[in-house]
Amino acid sequence: MTIWRALAVAALLGASPAAEAQTEQSNAAPGSLAEASSFFKAPPLDGCRISIDDLIKGGSQALRGQWVVQKGPGETGLTAGGRIEMVALPQRSGEVLRLGFRNGRMVADSAALGFLPIGVEDRAPLKPGTGLRAESVGRGDLADGTEVYLDDLALGALPCGADQLLRLNLQAEHDSGTGEVLRQDIRLFLIDQGRMSGTYRETGPGGRLERGLITLMRR
């Protein structure tokens, strides 16, 4: 499924009564008792089993609330002697992302990036080239050429393989302050109502490239 089709599927969130009800509930202040109550009332979400239709029609309610973003390990490109050298990035954590609904559509609210629409994609076989090279994310325990699609070291044992998980896609573009556009592409595998993980890719001024693993954990 292309990213455009994925974003089109996300728009369906505004077409169902359940999604409209979620929009009203999203007015609760972040971290408020109302938000906490709505989270605990939501049924458990199993990314291995829930259908994409059930997620769109109401299952996404379980994702509302605040999430801590953990980036890395990964790599960034530095220009040296006219050549681009990829340098390892350490793991970083701390940014808080809030997932909710805006005009009936599921969005992520980031202090740095603003509101990002969330595209929903059905489970499918993993496409070669869409993951990260094992060596680029410090996975020396894996064979050369192996691709890594999510941070299973940070998550521990998973209930199913990445190819059996629903996926959430986020894309953002904004002015970097230099007149050039900073682009971010985040692809997440939905594990349950408290865990998501996948990869991110960021490009910016001067051909700067950063990519790595990314994990969201319920705050």
Side-chain angles (χ1 to χ4, degrees):
M1 180 182 291
T2 65
I3 185 63
W4 297 113
R5 185 180 173 193
L7 291 174
V9 170
L12 293 177
L13 284 167
S16 69
E20 293 175 3
Q22 290 163 349
T23 306
E24 296 178 3
Q25 293 172 345
S26 68
N27 293 327
S32 68
L33 288 176
E35 179 175 296
S37 176
S38 66
F39 164 64
F40 287 113
K41 287 179 180 177
L45 191 157
D46 183 347
C48 300
R49 298 178 181 276
I50 189 171
S51 71
I52 191 170
D53 288 339
D54 287 343
L55 182 70
I56 291 171
K57 292 176 181 177
S60 52
Q61 167 65 23
L63 302 179
R64 290 183 65 251
Q66 298 188 43
W67 298 71
V68 175
V69 178
Q70 180 174 290
K71 275 188 174 180
E75 59 183 355
T76 186
L78 298 179
T79 303
R83 299 178 60 185
I84 296 179
E85 180 181 357
M86 300 307 291
V87 179
L89 284 173
Q91 186 165 288
R92 294 147 291 152
S93 180
E95 181 186 356
V96 175
L97 195 69
R98 181 170 183 264
L99 302 189
F101 294 84
R102 192 178 193 191
N103 298 324
R105 187 173 188 176
M106 194 158 109
V107 298
D109 182 3
S110 163
L113 301 174
F115 286 98
L116 309 178
I118 300 177
V120 183
E121 190 174 351
D122 209 347
R123 50 183 62 83
L126 302 174
K127 295 181 180 178
T130 58
L132 298 173
R133 295 177 298 108
E135 55 268 33
S136 72
V137 291
R139 292 298 304 273
D141 57 313
L142 300 176
D144 291 345
T146 301
E147 285 190 70
V148 178
Y149 297 90
L150 47 72
D151 197 347
D152 53 351
L153 291 184
L155 295 165
L158 298 177
C160 63
D163 59 336
Q164 297 174 287
L165 294 167
L166 291 182
R167 305 167 193 188
L168 303 179
N169 301 314
L170 297 81
Q171 287 186 323
E173 292 187 1
H174 64 97
D175 191 339
S176 64
T178 65
E180 296 185 70
V181 174
L182 176 67
R183 294 183 173 85
Q184 289 207 18
D185 183 357
I186 302 172
R187 301 181 179 185
L188 296 169
F189 292 89
L190 173 60
I191 301 165
D192 53 38
Q193 69 269 28
R195 298 179 298 168
M196 305 182 215
S197 185
T199 61
Y200 77 94
R201 179 184 178 92
E202 181 179 300
T203 56
R208 187 179 71 82
L209 167 66
E210 182 179 315
R211 59 195 177 198
L213 297 175
I214 186 169
T215 299
L216 274 63
M217 303 288 284
R218 175 72 65 174
R219 187 175 185 181

